[in-house]
C-alpha cells in the first residue's frame, strides 16, 4: 500500500466530523497496516494528501514498515534531515525556538512549554523513518513529522537551554 492510496480517505474523514480520525483509523486498509494510532494520525491521517509528503514518501511500501518507540540521542537530531519537499524548515524553526514553543499553548498542545521546561523534550513523539526505506535509499534516520519539535530541540540546544540528552521517537524500519 502506498500513501496516495489513503489520500481520499483521509480528506473524506477530516471533512466529515462524525468520522474524523476514528473513522480513518478503523478503515480496513488502515487497520491492515497494524500501525500505532499515534503514527497513523500524525503521518497518514494528517498528511496523506499533502503534496510534499506524496513526493517524499509516495514510493514507500507502507505495509513493509514496522514502528517502534526508540531512544534517540540529541546529537542524532542535530543533523537529521527531513524530506526534500520541506528542506530547510527544521532550521527555520530552530532560529526562533521560543516562538514555536509559546505558539503551542492550546488544545492538544497544552503542556508543551512545560514539557520543554521540566524534561527538556517534547510532549508528543515525532515520526522518523529509516532512510533505507526511501527512494533513493539512504542511511540513518529522517524526520517525517515533528519538524517543528526537532527544530525547537536544535534551537534550544544551540542557545544552551536545557534539553535532554536522549529523546523518544516513533521509528519506522523494515518489517522484514
Amino acid at each position: 500500500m502506498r500513501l496516495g492510496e489513503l489520500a481520499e480517505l483521509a480528506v473524506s474523514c477530516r471533512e466529515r466530523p462524525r468520522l474524523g480520525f476514528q473513522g480513518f483509523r478503523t478503515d480496513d486498509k488502515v487497520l491492515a497496516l497494524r500501525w500505532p494510532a499515534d503514527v497513523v494520525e500524525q503521518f497518514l491521517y494528517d498528511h496523506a494528501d499533502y503534496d510534499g509528503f506524496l513526493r517524499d514518501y509516495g514510493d514507500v511500501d507502507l505495509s513493509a514498515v514496522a514502528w517502534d518507540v526508540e531512544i534517540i540521542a540529541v546529537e542524532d537530531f542535530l543533523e537529521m534531515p527531513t524530506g526534500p519537499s520541506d528542506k530547510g524548515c527544521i532550521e527555520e524553526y530552530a532560529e526562533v525556538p521560543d516562538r514555536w514553543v509559546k505558539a503551542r499553548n492550546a488544545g492538544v498542545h497544552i503542556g508543551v512549554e512545560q514539557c520543554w521546561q521540566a524534561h527538556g523534550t517534547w510532549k508528543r513523539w515525532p515520526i522518523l523513518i529509516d532512510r533505507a526505506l526511501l527512494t533513493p535509499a539512504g542511511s540513518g534516520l529522517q524526520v517525517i513529522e515533528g519538524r517543528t519539535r526537532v527544530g525547537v530541540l536544535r534551537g534550544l540546544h544551540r542557545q544552551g537551554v536545557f534539553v535532554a540528552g536522549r529523546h523518544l521517537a516513533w521509528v519506522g524500519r523494515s518489517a522484514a
Side-chain angles (χ1 to χ4, degrees):
M1 178 183 313
R2 305 283 189 240
L3 187 60
E5 295 174 51
L6 297 172
E8 188 176 312
L9 175 63
V11 170
S12 174
C13 288
R14 287 194 314 258
E15 290 177 349
R16 296 164 59 197
R18 64 178 173 70
L19 288 178
F21 175 61
Q22 181 64 18
F24 181 81
R25 77 179 194 92
T26 58
D27 183 88
D28 289 341
K29 288 187 284 191
V30 177
L31 286 173
L33 293 171
R34 298 178 180 255
W35 284 17
D38 196 32
V39 175
V40 168
E41 184 175 16
Q42 290 189 68
F43 183 8
L44 306 178
Y45 179 69
D46 290 346
H47 296 96
D49 62 317
Y50 173 53
D51 287 338
F53 271 45
L54 290 168
R55 282 190 304 276
D56 295 347
Y57 308 109
D59 291 337
V60 174
D61 178 359
L62 303 178
S63 60
V65 181
W67 296 93
D68 203 357
V69 177
E70 294 186 18
I71 299 169
I72 309 294
V74 67
E75 292 81 14
D76 293 336
F77 280 110
L78 299 180
E79 299 298 325
M80 191 179 298
T82 191
S85 68
D86 285 325
K87 186 177 180 178
C89 77
I90 292 176
E91 285 306 312
E92 287 179 31
Y93 299 129
E95 289 175 11
V96 285
D98 294 333
R99 172 180 167 209
W100 297 104
V101 169
K102 293 194 182 310
R104 306 292 197 260
N105 63 6
V108 298
H109 300 297
I110 291 175
V112 165
E113 184 173 14
Q114 292 84 352
C115 282
W116 283 108
Q117 291 172 351
H119 306 291
T121 194
W122 33 69
K123 179 180 172 186
R124 189 176 193 190
W125 307 331
I127 311 296
L128 314 178
I129 194 164
D130 182 342
R131 297 181 78 215
L133 295 170
L134 304 177
T135 304
S139 61
L141 298 174
Q142 178 168 306
V143 180
I144 292 178
E145 176 53 7
R147 298 169 306 273
T148 305
R149 287 166 267 182
V150 173
V152 166
L153 175 71
R154 286 183 191 177
L156 294 176
H157 184 267
R158 283 187 202 140
Q159 292 176 355
V161 174
F162 165 70
V163 294
R166 302 179 331 153
H167 303 266
L168 297 176
W170 286 110
V171 178
R173 298 192 185 274
S174 175

